[in-house]
Amino acid sequence: MAEVKSLTREEEKILFSTLRKFKDVEAERDLNWMLLMRYTARRVQTVHLLDEADALEALDKGYLHLASEKQKGGKKDSVRGLDKKQEIYLVDAARKALEALLKIRRKMIAASPESSYDEQALILSRRRQRMSIRAYQQRMTHWCNTAGIVKASPHWLRHTWAVRRLQNSTTGEGLRQVQAVLGHEHITTTQVYTQPSRDDLRKTMQEAAL
């Protein structure tokens, strides 16, 4: 069974608190796309494809609606059993992240009104075009280095959501719920998250030392 790479509670706290110390627009942008990924369990491929219209609709309806072309593998995923369209409920933290990303987008555009920009993309690069997936990965590496934590990829945020959900689950339905949110066709794919997390192993080691 593949290893699940996720942030520990302490690493997550350090990463986000580090980002909040920086007040420039790129740091604010990075903080909020990370929070959006963390609290919606979306892949970076999906966040990369989000448009301003997607964010406005989500804030209006309370759900982030994801057509198949904005999920892993695009339309081909429907052949493998994934829903053609997935709805993700916006918890308060996800809603605030979307609201912030819309404000940041407007701020980046207003900073240079005569320059061209991507008229649809929600999250803009320094050049005000849709951020590439590689750019998300590079920014994550940059902030992990700045925070002094383990080198993580954006996908760790999706894993972190799944691990926390199962850690906090008090019923036997937790695994099925995680499967539904992550869009896994088979429960065996989701069962990887039942392995002990790095938080669990650290706690075990501490308890064994008593």
Side-chain angles (χ1 to χ4, degrees):
M1 192 174 285
E3 177 188 2
V4 171
K5 295 183 177 180
S6 61
L7 296 172
T8 66
R9 294 177 189 275
E10 184 64 19
E11 288 166 346
E12 188 178 355
K13 179 180 178 181
I14 292 171
L15 176 62
F16 293 144
S17 63
T18 297
L19 273 154
R20 288 188 174 97
K21 294 176 183 177
F22 294 82
K23 304 303 179 183
D24 60 282
V25 69
E26 289 184 31
E28 292 178 351
R29 176 203 62 193
D30 294 344
L31 169 63
N32 285 285
W33 66 251
M34 287 184 199
L35 290 171
L36 182 64
M37 288 187 66
R38 168 63 178 84
Y39 290 105
T40 61
R42 295 307 90 202
R43 293 181 173 90
V44 68
Q45 292 95 330
T46 297
V47 174
H48 150 76
L49 290 173
L50 287 179
D51 292 333
E52 179 186 28
D54 296 322
L56 291 171
E57 180 187 31
L59 291 173
D60 178 54
K61 296 184 177 180
Y63 285 83
L64 183 62
H65 294 265
L66 302 173
S68 59
E69 61 268 20
K70 292 190 177 180
Q71 299 180 53
K72 183 181 180 182
K75 294 180 181 179
K76 293 182 180 179
D77 269 12
S78 61
V79 177
R80 297 192 297 111
L82 292 181
D83 293 337
K84 292 183 179 180
K85 189 170 185 179
Q86 196 174 12
E87 292 184 340
I88 302 299
Y89 176 72
L90 291 182
V91 297
D92 190 50
R95 171 178 287 275
K96 287 179 179 178
L98 272 181
E99 290 172 342
L101 287 168
L102 284 167
K103 291 178 182 178
I104 290 163
R105 182 181 191 276
R106 291 193 291 267
K107 186 186 297 186
M108 293 179 77
I109 293 170
S112 185
E114 297 180 357
S115 301
S116 62
Y117 63 91
D118 189 310
E119 295 183 1
Q120 294 184 317
L122 172 63
I123 302 170
L124 300 176
S125 67
R126 183 179 300 178
R127 295 182 179 179
R128 306 194 310 173
Q129 300 303 307
R130 189 182 298 272
M131 272 182 62
S132 67
I133 292 176
R134 181 171 176 78
Y136 283 94
Q137 295 166 339
Q138 291 174 333
R139 297 302 291 171
M140 187 78 176
T141 296
H142 165 74
W143 289 114
C144 286
N145 289 338
T146 302
I149 63 171
V150 62
K151 182 179 177 180
S153 74
H155 202 63
W156 284 39
L157 297 167
R158 175 177 165 89
H159 290 324
T160 300
W161 179 90
V163 169
R164 293 289 182 278
R165 176 65 189 92
L166 289 176
Q167 286 176 334
N168 297 333
S169 178
T170 57
T171 70
E173 294 299 312
L175 193 62
R176 289 292 182 184
Q177 292 166 355
V178 170
Q179 179 190 13
V181 171
L182 298 187
H184 291 161
E185 180 181 1
H186 301 294
I187 193 68
T188 52
T189 305
T190 315
Q191 284 173 338
V192 68
Y193 296 105
T194 63
Q195 295 182 80
S197 68
R198 291 164 63 232
D199 266 328
D200 295 331
L201 294 176
R202 182 176 64 177
K203 183 179 179 181
T204 295
M205 294 301 292
Q206 289 174 334
E207 291 175 348
L210 297 177

